[in-house]
Amino acid sequence: MATILVVDDDKKLLKMMRRTLIYEGFQVATALNGREALAQMQVEAPDLIVLDWMMPELDGLQMMTNLRATDDNIPVLMLTARDAIEDRVKGLDSGADDYLVKPFAPSELLARLRALLRRIEKTDKEKPLLYAGLYLDVISRETRRGDREFELTPREFELLHYFMRHPRQVLVRDRILEDVWGYDFGGEDNVLEVYVGYLRKKTEAGDEPRLIQTVRGVGYVLRET
């Protein structure tokens, strides 16, 4: 189940988009401006962002500049009432992946989001991931830390893949369980902690620094110390 961060200072429109996306089965986080959205991303791990252009405090283009400085992968759908060709070009050149002019039909919004999510799924299946010397290839199932290779069980691989898709983002414990083990997970309460322990043992077997950090009372983050 994908999580979408919707950022817009129009509270009525924000409420409509949130209601529509939840009805379609998405998890939804919201923010009223770019600054609030960047803070929200430290807690949530959105798979996609719907971003308004004209907002107070930090507008859409300014947020894109901040976002792309640290994350070039998360897709962004830009919303705006500006429909001139030069405005569309400016929005796309800022780092947005798609552009939707207001007012828009909810059906078109959903269609564009589904297209962006399909693009993510295709890329995730093909593109190896690398973070701080930690390497994971989804196709070959190869995993290594620097030059040292190590083997993972299917569940360990899925969990490490999840962490590496969201580097430097604090991931809430319940969200990890839902996305990796499934929405109706009913296993042992400490299963996540056990598997994080397995991953730490294998990724740190060569006395490398710890990358999977505990965020006490919240969850975990893949981050260099």
Side-chain angles (χ1 to χ4, degrees):
M1 181 184 299
T3 294
I4 298 177
L5 173 60
V6 184
V7 191
D8 200 306
D9 64 325
D10 184 332
K11 294 182 179 180
K12 184 177 181 180
L13 180 59
L14 189 67
K15 183 177 180 180
M16 181 278 286
M17 288 191 286
R18 181 177 184 276
R19 183 172 59 246
T20 299
L21 293 173
I22 290 175
Y23 182 80
E24 292 296 323
F26 295 108
Q27 291 188 1
V28 182
T30 60
L32 291 171
N33 57 64
R35 197 176 308 281
E36 186 178 318
L38 290 172
Q40 184 83 283
M41 290 184 67
Q42 299 303 311
V43 179
E44 298 288 342
D47 299 290
L48 190 151
I49 300 174
V50 177
L51 179 63
D52 185 33
W53 182 330
M54 302 300 293
M55 295 182 296
E57 294 192 40
L58 194 70
D59 68 22
L61 292 186
Q62 292 170 322
M63 179 183 166
M64 284 297 308
T65 300
N66 283 271
L67 177 64
R68 291 308 186 213
T70 58
D71 191 332
D72 197 40
N73 295 317
I74 186 167
V76 175
L77 172 63
M78 183 78 79
L79 299 178
T80 181
R82 297 171 178 247
D83 60 355
I85 295 297
E86 55 268 27
D87 289 326
R88 298 186 188 210
V89 171
K90 187 175 181 180
L92 293 171
D93 282 348
S94 73
D97 297 273
D98 200 358
Y99 191 103
L100 185 58
V101 177
K102 299 178 180 180
F104 55 83
S107 58
E108 183 178 6
L109 171 67
L110 291 169
R112 288 175 181 266
L113 294 181
R114 285 192 291 264
L116 288 172
L117 290 170
R118 284 195 298 270
R119 193 185 307 171
I120 298 173
E121 291 170 2
K122 183 178 180 181
T123 301
D124 284 347
K125 290 177 182 178
E126 298 174 354
K127 183 179 178 182
L129 300 174
L130 179 65
Y131 178 74
L134 191 60
Y135 175 90
L136 181 148
D137 190 319
V138 178
I139 296 177
S140 68
R141 311 291 286 187
E142 178 185 357
T143 49
R144 63 175 185 262
R145 182 88 183 261
D147 296 327
R148 181 179 61 81
E149 296 186 12
F150 55 91
E151 294 185 1
L152 297 176
T153 67
R155 185 68 74 183
E156 291 168 353
F157 188 93
E158 188 176 357
L159 180 58
L160 183 60
H161 182 220
Y162 187 77
F163 280 129
M164 292 187 69
R165 284 181 55 213
H166 304 286
R168 300 181 300 276
Q169 295 183 26
V170 176
L171 302 171
V172 178
R173 183 181 185 278
D174 289 347
R175 169 78 191 279
I176 301 172
L177 286 170
E178 181 177 321
D179 288 349
V180 177
W181 272 264
Y183 184 77
D184 296 322
F185 172 73
E188 298 294 331
D189 287 344
N190 68 335
V191 66
L192 177 57
E193 287 69 25
V194 170
Y195 272 86
V196 166
Y198 294 157
L199 287 182
R200 284 173 171 168
K201 184 176 181 180
K202 293 182 178 182
T203 59
E204 301 168 16
D207 292 326
E208 298 94 342
R210 176 159 295 178
L211 289 178
I212 304 175
Q213 313 289 343
T214 300
V215 181
R216 193 171 302 277
V218 181
Y220 297 94
V221 59
L222 183 70
R223 181 172 59 203
E224 293 181 279
T225 53

mmCIF file of all heavy atoms in Angstrom, residues 51-55 58-66 78 87 90-92 94-95:
data_model
loop_
_atom_site.group_PDB
_atom_site.id
_atom_site.type_symbol
_atom_site.label_atom_id
_atom_site.label_comp_id
_atom_site.label_asym_id
_atom_site.label_seq_id
_atom_site.Cartn_x
_atom_site.Cartn_y
_atom_site.Cartn_z
ATOM 1 N N LEU A 51 2.411 17.936 -4.862
ATOM 2 C CA LEU A 51 2.963 19.185 -4.349
ATOM 3 C C LEU A 51 2.389 20.408 -5.066
ATOM 4 O O LEU A 51 2.543 20.560 -6.283
ATOM 5 C CB LEU A 51 4.492 19.158 -4.513
ATOM 6 C CG LEU A 51 5.279 20.378 -4.063
ATOM 7 C CD1 LEU A 51 5.137 20.607 -2.562
ATOM 8 C CD2 LEU A 51 6.753 20.201 -4.439
ATOM 9 N N ASP A 52 1.753 21.278 -4.300
ATOM 10 C CA ASP A 52 1.251 22.535 -4.857
ATOM 11 C C ASP A 52 2.420 23.495 -5.095
ATOM 12 O O ASP A 52 3.408 23.488 -4.352
ATOM 13 C CB ASP A 52 0.251 23.155 -3.866
ATOM 14 C CG ASP A 52 -0.406 24.409 -4.425
ATOM 15 O OD1 ASP A 52 -0.606 24.473 -5.656
ATOM 16 O OD2 ASP A 52 -0.711 25.317 -3.639
ATOM 17 N N TRP A 53 2.300 24.319 -6.111
ATOM 18 C CA TRP A 53 3.370 25.269 -6.445
ATOM 19 C C TRP A 53 3.309 26.496 -5.538
ATOM 20 O O TRP A 53 4.264 26.848 -4.868
ATOM 21 C CB TRP A 53 3.234 25.670 -7.911
ATOM 22 C CG TRP A 53 4.298 26.600 -8.421
ATOM 23 C CD1 TRP A 53 5.004 27.545 -7.728
ATOM 24 C CD2 TRP A 53 4.790 26.658 -9.764
ATOM 25 N NE1 TRP A 53 5.887 28.200 -8.545
ATOM 26 C CE2 TRP A 53 5.782 27.684 -9.807
ATOM 27 C CE3 TRP A 53 4.475 25.982 -10.943
ATOM 28 C CZ2 TRP A 53 6.457 28.023 -10.978
ATOM 29 C CZ3 TRP A 53 5.158 26.330 -12.108
ATOM 30 C CH2 TRP A 53 6.134 27.324 -12.126
ATOM 31 N N MET A 54 2.158 27.180 -5.509
ATOM 32 C CA MET A 54 2.034 28.444 -4.788
ATOM 33 C C MET A 54 1.585 28.209 -3.350
ATOM 34 O O MET A 54 0.423 27.884 -3.095
ATOM 35 C CB MET A 54 1.037 29.353 -5.504
ATOM 36 C CG MET A 54 1.399 29.648 -6.957
ATOM 37 S SD MET A 54 3.004 30.474 -7.126
ATOM 38 C CE MET A 54 2.628 32.052 -6.354
ATOM 39 N N MET A 55 2.527 28.352 -2.406
ATOM 40 C CA MET A 55 2.232 28.156 -0.994
ATOM 41 C C MET A 55 3.024 29.156 -0.166
ATOM 42 O O MET A 55 4.082 29.640 -0.613
ATOM 43 C CB MET A 55 2.609 26.735 -0.550
ATOM 44 C CG MET A 55 1.816 25.621 -1.191
ATOM 45 S SD MET A 55 2.311 23.997 -0.546
ATOM 46 C CE MET A 55 4.018 23.905 -1.120
ATOM 47 N N LEU A 58 7.275 28.236 2.290
ATOM 48 C CA LEU A 58 8.186 27.553 1.388
ATOM 49 C C LEU A 58 7.343 26.999 0.248
ATOM 50 O O LEU A 58 6.572 26.061 0.445
ATOM 51 C CB LEU A 58 8.922 26.426 2.116
ATOM 52 C CG LEU A 58 10.137 25.823 1.409
ATOM 53 C CD1 LEU A 58 11.290 26.817 1.378
ATOM 54 C CD2 LEU A 58 10.578 24.534 2.093
ATOM 55 N N ASP A 59 7.468 27.583 -0.937
ATOM 56 C CA ASP A 59 6.582 27.154 -2.020
ATOM 57 C C ASP A 59 7.071 25.859 -2.668
ATOM 58 O O ASP A 59 8.110 25.300 -2.275
ATOM 59 C CB ASP A 59 6.403 28.266 -3.055
ATOM 60 C CG ASP A 59 7.678 28.577 -3.845
ATOM 61 O OD1 ASP A 59 8.571 27.709 -3.929
ATOM 62 O OD2 ASP A 59 7.772 29.696 -4.390
ATOM 63 N N GLY A 60 6.320 25.391 -3.669
ATOM 64 C CA GLY A 60 6.626 24.107 -4.276
ATOM 65 C C GLY A 60 7.991 24.041 -4.926
ATOM 66 O O GLY A 60 8.714 23.046 -4.778
ATOM 67 N N LEU A 61 8.389 25.097 -5.648
ATOM 68 C CA LEU A 61 9.690 25.089 -6.308
ATOM 69 C C LEU A 61 10.832 25.104 -5.295
ATOM 70 O O LEU A 61 11.850 24.428 -5.472
ATOM 71 C CB LEU A 61 9.814 26.290 -7.247
ATOM 72 C CG LEU A 61 8.904 26.291 -8.488
ATOM 73 C CD1 LEU A 61 9.252 27.470 -9.382
ATOM 74 C CD2 LEU A 61 9.011 24.987 -9.260
ATOM 75 N N GLN A 62 10.654 25.882 -4.214
ATOM 76 C CA GLN A 62 11.686 25.919 -3.177
ATOM 77 C C GLN A 62 11.799 24.573 -2.482
ATOM 78 O O GLN A 62 12.906 24.113 -2.171
ATOM 79 C CB GLN A 62 11.360 27.016 -2.162
ATOM 80 C CG GLN A 62 11.471 28.426 -2.732
ATOM 81 C CD GLN A 62 10.907 29.465 -1.773
ATOM 82 O OE1 GLN A 62 9.907 29.248 -1.098
ATOM 83 N NE2 GLN A 62 11.568 30.614 -1.712
ATOM 84 N N MET A 63 10.649 23.929 -2.241
ATOM 85 C CA MET A 63 10.692 22.613 -1.618
ATOM 86 C C MET A 63 11.379 21.607 -2.528
ATOM 87 O O MET A 63 12.141 20.752 -2.082
ATOM 88 C CB MET A 63 9.284 22.127 -1.277
ATOM 89 C CG MET A 63 9.319 20.729 -0.644
ATOM 90 S SD MET A 63 7.714 20.024 -0.291
ATOM 91 C CE MET A 63 8.168 18.307 0.004
ATOM 92 N N MET A 64 11.110 21.693 -3.853
ATOM 93 C CA MET A 64 11.741 20.784 -4.794
ATOM 94 C C MET A 64 13.260 20.914 -4.729
ATOM 95 O O MET A 64 13.982 19.917 -4.771
ATOM 96 C CB MET A 64 11.267 21.080 -6.215
ATOM 97 C CG MET A 64 9.863 20.592 -6.535
ATOM 98 S SD MET A 64 9.689 18.795 -6.447
ATOM 99 C CE MET A 64 11.029 18.281 -7.484
ATOM 100 N N THR A 65 13.757 22.137 -4.625
ATOM 101 C CA THR A 65 15.200 22.361 -4.537
ATOM 102 C C THR A 65 15.779 21.679 -3.300
ATOM 103 O O THR A 65 16.812 20.999 -3.374
ATOM 104 C CB THR A 65 15.508 23.866 -4.484
ATOM 105 O OG1 THR A 65 15.018 24.491 -5.670
ATOM 106 C CG2 THR A 65 17.001 24.106 -4.367
ATOM 107 N N ASN A 66 15.090 21.823 -2.166
ATOM 108 C CA ASN A 66 15.526 21.181 -0.925
ATOM 109 C C ASN A 66 15.446 19.667 -1.026
ATOM 110 O O ASN A 66 16.355 18.946 -0.597
ATOM 111 C CB ASN A 66 14.674 21.664 0.256
ATOM 112 C CG ASN A 66 15.056 23.046 0.737
ATOM 113 O OD1 ASN A 66 15.908 23.211 1.594
ATOM 114 N ND2 ASN A 66 14.417 24.053 0.172
ATOM 115 N N MET A 78 3.451 17.837 -9.516
ATOM 116 C CA MET A 78 3.274 19.252 -9.199
ATOM 117 C C MET A 78 1.865 19.713 -9.560
ATOM 118 O O MET A 78 1.374 19.427 -10.653
ATOM 119 C CB MET A 78 4.301 20.079 -9.978
ATOM 120 C CG MET A 78 4.263 21.564 -9.684
ATOM 121 S SD MET A 78 5.056 21.987 -8.115
ATOM 122 C CE MET A 78 6.789 21.940 -8.606
ATOM 123 N N ASP A 87 5.571 27.884 -17.706
ATOM 124 C CA ASP A 87 5.402 27.478 -16.314
ATOM 125 C C ASP A 87 5.521 25.965 -16.173
ATOM 126 O O ASP A 87 6.116 25.454 -15.213
ATOM 127 C CB ASP A 87 4.045 27.945 -15.783
ATOM 128 C CG ASP A 87 3.991 29.455 -15.594
ATOM 129 O OD1 ASP A 87 5.028 30.039 -15.232
ATOM 130 O OD2 ASP A 87 2.925 30.047 -15.824
ATOM 131 N N LYS A 90 9.125 25.092 -16.400
ATOM 132 C CA LYS A 90 9.819 25.473 -15.174
ATOM 133 C C LYS A 90 9.552 24.461 -14.060
ATOM 134 O O LYS A 90 10.463 24.086 -13.320
ATOM 135 C CB LYS A 90 9.370 26.868 -14.734
ATOM 136 C CG LYS A 90 10.159 27.446 -13.560
ATOM 137 C CD LYS A 90 9.722 28.879 -13.266
ATOM 138 C CE LYS A 90 10.523 29.473 -12.125
ATOM 139 N NZ LYS A 90 10.108 30.872 -11.838
ATOM 140 N N GLY A 91 8.292 24.029 -13.948
ATOM 141 C CA GLY A 91 7.946 23.053 -12.920
ATOM 142 C C GLY A 91 8.660 21.732 -13.131
ATOM 143 O O GLY A 91 9.201 21.138 -12.188
ATOM 144 N N LEU A 92 8.686 21.243 -14.365
ATOM 145 C CA LEU A 92 9.349 19.973 -14.664
ATOM 146 C C LEU A 92 10.860 20.090 -14.517
ATOM 147 O O LEU A 92 11.518 19.178 -14.010
ATOM 148 C CB LEU A 92 8.976 19.510 -16.073
ATOM 149 C CG LEU A 92 7.492 19.126 -16.261
ATOM 150 C CD1 LEU A 92 7.184 18.904 -17.733
ATOM 151 C CD2 LEU A 92 7.138 17.887 -15.451
ATOM 152 N N SER A 94 12.382 21.896 -12.473
ATOM 153 C CA SER A 94 12.726 22.012 -11.055
ATOM 154 C C SER A 94 12.946 20.651 -10.407
ATOM 155 O O SER A 94 13.503 20.552 -9.319
ATOM 156 C CB SER A 94 11.620 22.759 -10.301
ATOM 157 O OG SER A 94 10.465 21.945 -10.158
ATOM 158 N N GLY A 95 12.476 19.589 -11.092
ATOM 159 C CA GLY A 95 12.635 18.244 -10.543
ATOM 160 C C GLY A 95 11.342 17.474 -10.423
ATOM 161 O O GLY A 95 11.342 16.304 -10.014
#
